[in-house]
Amino acid sequence: MRTIDIHIPILVKEESELTSEELHLLDEARRATYRSYAPYSHFSVGAAVLLADGTIVGGSNQENAAYPSGLCAERTAMFYANSRYPDQPIRSICIAARNAYGEFIHRPIAPCGACRQSLLEAEQRAGHPIGVLLYGTDGIYSIRSIKDLLPLGFDESFL
Ligand code: THU
């Protein structure tokens, strides 16, 4: 028997420690939460993706009375970016969320498994790591790649 240890470094940053580019992306993610359509969960998520040419695309969660028909903020932003700018690889993504009281959540938001899977493919398509910023008022998690968010991920190499 042998063990495989997977070590995932997560930097925990204060807002004051972000670069101006990161801060800009965070502002867009926070802004996007106000465009969320979340009448069922009352959980408003915003995502902002930064493209290779500097373009920033925002997206928010869009719910539906038939619950599974809705879509998370991350995939809304990413799929829109890929469909609008197919030749611009994604460089980084920032995610923020507000609770039912309208407050930004304290703990950094954790993207769901389906979003991690979709983002993993975007990372492979980009051919370089996509940086991730997960916003919480208590701290911001800075993660160097989507692969770090989804170790042992399934991808086309298995097919
Ligand atoms: N949601 C996101 O948009 N992104 C996440 O990272 C977690 C969850 C949405 C899906 C649903 O509209 C609501 O938050 C509650 O799960």
Side-chain angles (χ1 to χ4, degrees):
M1 188 167 67
R2 64 193 177 98
T3 305
I4 298 173
D5 284 316
I6 298 175
H7 174 71
I8 297 167
I10 299 176
L11 293 177
V12 185
K13 296 185 181 177
E14 303 289 321
E15 207 167 314
S16 59
E17 295 174 302
L18 297 181
T19 64
S20 59
E21 188 175 68
E22 289 173 328
L23 200 54
H24 191 186
L25 201 60
L26 171 59
D27 280 339
E28 288 299 328
R30 283 190 291 217
R31 240 193 296 278
T33 65
Y34 294 96
R35 301 192 294 266
S36 153
Y37 176 66
Y40 305 105
S41 71
H42 305 288
F43 191 69
S44 303
V45 187
V49 296
L50 174 67
L51 306 183
D53 69 355
T55 303
I56 291 179
V57 173
S60 54
N61 55 330
Q62 302 293 317
E63 298 186 349
N64 189 278
Y67 294 176
S69 304
L71 197 64
C72 292
E74 296 88 324
R75 277 175 289 162
T76 303
M78 181 189 64
F79 290 153
Y80 176 67
N82 284 341
S83 51
R84 177 77 175 78
Y85 306 101
D87 300 326
Q88 290 299 323
I90 295 173
R91 272 172 47 197
S92 55
I93 183 167
C94 179
I95 308 153
R98 288 182 301 113
N99 62 22
Y101 303 103
E103 302 155 345
F104 283 101
I105 60 170
H106 299 297
R107 241 182 344 149
I109 177 75
C112 80
C115 286
R116 292 175 200 220
Q117 180 69 36
S118 297
L119 285 161
L120 184 68
E121 186 136 344
E123 181 164 272
Q124 287 172 344
R125 195 171 160 185
H128 56 68
I130 294 178
V132 185
L133 287 176
L134 305 176
Y135 178 67
T137 57
D138 284 346
I140 301 159
Y141 286 173
S142 174
I143 299 165
R144 61 187 177 185
S145 73
I146 304 297
K147 210 164 184 293
D148 281 357
L149 271 181
L150 190 63
L152 304 182
F154 179 80
D155 62 26
E156 49 149 20
S157 66
F158 287 97
L159 299 175

